[in-house]
Structure formats: structure tokens, C-alpha cells
């Protein structure tokens, strides 16, 4: 890679607060009236920022791209929860790497597959699954063909990272299933579920820092 920064991107503060505390990061930026935050610090001599963007792809891409205009990181980690599709093998509390991300929330006639091309992400051997397919949209669904789970930011971040040639990892954890109880289950499970994800994310970031 090249450079000395690692960026961790999350949609919501409650999804990543454990990492902020574990790494002793300090609040660098807060946008009044929004959930957007930046926490900064160092880990094993490497600069780390946790960027809390708010939900949805456009918020994630606009905030991260503005920051990257000041200097790109040499790796980025998308961290947060997903809604798992029932019957696809994921359980609440599971943590994993996303191997492939897709976009499902598209409804216009086209034969050009490039518009919704899949992106293939970086993974690492951390003792968890490295084969999960996550799809991104701006609304909830009950399932998408060939996919295991869904989120609301990853596809946009994958497109941005690809365009800037920044290696992207995504460590996700399951806080709820995609069903009528999903929003309530998320609030109930997110703190406990994120602990498994934090363990994977911390090992990954330490590995990246040692290789910097």
C-alpha cells in the first residue's frame, strides 16, 4: 500500500463506539445537527480515524470523499451491522468479512450490467467467514437472489474505494434479521452483537498497522 493512515467507516456511532473506546480515540470533528463524527488517534504508530457518516450511501460517500481530498488512506475498513436474510446461514451475533457487495435498490430498464456491477473486497484470515455476499439499498427487503445480508452504505463505499484505488475491507456483524422485527431487534442486539465484530476489526487493524 503506501501512506500511513487507516480509515474505519461506520454509519452510526452506536455501531462502532467499542472501537473508539478500545483505541482511546478522541473526537476531532462533529457536525451539529447530524450524526457525523470523526474520531482520531494512533495505533501501533499508525494514524487511525473512525468516520461516522450517518446512514445511506450518499452520506457515506460525500463525507469520506471530502476527507480523502485532504489525503487518501492506505486502507479503509467499513465496519457495522447488517440485516441477515433468513435461511442463508447467518445468525445474530455472527461476525465476518464481506467478500462481494452488490446493489439491489435499482429499478430502471437497462441492459448495461456495469451500472450495478459487483465489487470484490479485501479479506484476511481471522478465523471468520470470508465468503459473505452483502447487497446495498436504501430500503429494507426480505431477501435478494444470491445474497446473504444487506446494508445501506457498502456499495457506495466500494465504488469510491475502487475509483481511488484504496484497498477496502468490510467487517460486518449481524444484529437482526430482515423481517418485521428487524428495527426492534437491532436496538436490542447491537451492543452485544458488535463485540464479535470488534474482535475481528481490532485484529485486522493491528495486522495492517504492523504491515504499514
Amino acid at each position: 500500500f503506501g501512506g500511513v493512515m487507516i480509515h474505519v467507516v461506520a454509519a452510526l456511532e452506536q455501531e462502532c463506539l467499542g472501537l473508539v473506546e478500545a483505541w482511546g480515540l478522541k473526537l476531532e470533528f462533529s457536525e451539529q445537527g447530524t450524526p457525523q463524527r470523526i474520531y482520531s488517534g494512533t495505533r501501533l504508530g499508525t494514524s487511525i480515524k473512525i468516520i461516522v457518516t450517518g446512514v445511506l450511501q450518499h452520506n457515506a460517500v460525500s463525507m469520506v470523499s471530502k476527507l480523502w481530498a485532504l489525503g487518501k488512506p492506505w486502507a479503509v475498513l467499513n465496519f457495522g451491522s447488517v440485516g441477515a436474510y433468513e435461511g442463508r446461514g447467518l445468525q445474530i451475533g455472527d461476525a465476518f468479512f464481506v467478500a462481494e457487495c452488490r446493489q439491489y435498490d435499482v429499478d430502471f430498464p437497462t441492459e448495461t450490467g456495469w451500472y450495478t456491477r459487483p465489487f470484490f473486497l479485501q479479506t484476511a484470515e481471522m478465523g471468520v467467514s470470508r465468503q459473505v455476499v452483502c447487497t446495498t439499498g436504501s430500503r429494507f427487503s426480505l431477501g435478494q437472489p444470491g445474497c446473504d445480508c444487506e446494508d445501506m452504505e457498502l456499495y457506495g463505499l466500494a465504488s469510491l474505494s475502487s475509483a481511488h484505488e484504496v484497498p477496502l475491507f468490510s467487517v460486518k456483524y449481524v444484529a437482526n434479521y430482515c423481517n418485521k422485527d428487524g428495527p426492534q431487534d437491532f436496538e436490542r442486539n447491537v451492543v452485544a452483537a458488535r463485540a464479535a465484530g470488534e474482535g475481528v476489526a481490532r485484529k485486522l487493524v493491528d495486522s495492517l498497522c504492523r504491515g504499514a
Side-chain angles (χ1 to χ4, degrees):
F1 302 124
V4 293
M5 291 189 293
I6 295 173
H7 286 174
V8 179
V9 181
L12 298 172
E13 191 173 50
Q14 68 191 116
E15 292 182 312
C16 64
L17 199 53
L19 294 178
V20 173
E21 295 170 349
W23 291 328
L25 306 184
K26 304 300 183 183
L27 183 64
E28 173 187 333
F29 168 85
S30 176
E31 181 70 27
Q32 187 174 5
T34 80
Q36 295 191 328
R37 306 278 189 276
I38 299 175
Y39 292 91
S40 298
T42 59
R43 178 70 179 165
L44 301 177
T46 298
S47 173
I48 294 178
K49 292 183 186 293
I50 291 184
I51 306 161
V52 181
T53 65
V55 176
L56 300 178
Q57 295 178 77
H58 61 282
N59 292 317
V61 169
S62 61
M63 185 177 185
V64 172
S65 60
K66 184 176 181 180
L67 192 60
W68 287 7
L70 304 176
K72 293 189 300 183
W74 60 271
V76 59
L77 166 62
N78 170 237
F79 181 76
S81 66
V82 295
Y85 293 147
E86 293 180 298
R88 294 290 298 183
L90 292 175
Q91 306 293 323
I92 290 176
D94 284 352
F96 50 84
F97 283 96
V98 174
E100 177 184 344
C101 87
R102 303 177 184 177
Q103 169 71 265
Y104 77 85
D105 199 4
V106 176
D107 186 16
F108 69 95
T110 180
E111 296 181 358
T112 305
W114 181 86
Y115 290 130
T116 55
R117 63 200 182 279
F119 289 97
F120 298 94
L121 281 55
Q122 304 288 320
T123 66
E125 181 52 63
M126 296 285 163
V128 297
S129 175
R130 303 165 61 188
Q131 320 219 338
V132 172
V133 178
C134 181
T135 188
T136 299
S138 299
R139 56 190 171 86
F140 296 112
S141 79
L142 298 178
Q144 299 297 324
C147 299
D148 304 302
C149 58
E150 68 184 39
D151 84 332
M152 293 188 169
E153 297 81 30
L154 180 53
Y155 189 86
L157 289 170
S159 179
L160 178 68
S161 298
S162 176
H164 286 273
E165 299 182 330
V166 175
L168 171 63
F169 298 82
S170 181
V171 172
K172 298 288 198 180
Y173 54 87
V174 179
N176 60 274
Y177 291 111
C178 293
N179 57 31
K180 63 181 179 62
D181 298 319
Q184 294 78 20
D185 287 344
F186 170 82
E187 296 295 338
R188 185 182 305 113
N189 298 322
V190 62
V191 174
R194 81 182 187 202
E198 288 166 357
V200 179
R202 290 170 66 179
K203 287 196 294 183
L204 173 67
V205 169
D206 280 2
S207 175
L208 293 173
C209 289
R210 292 188 183 100

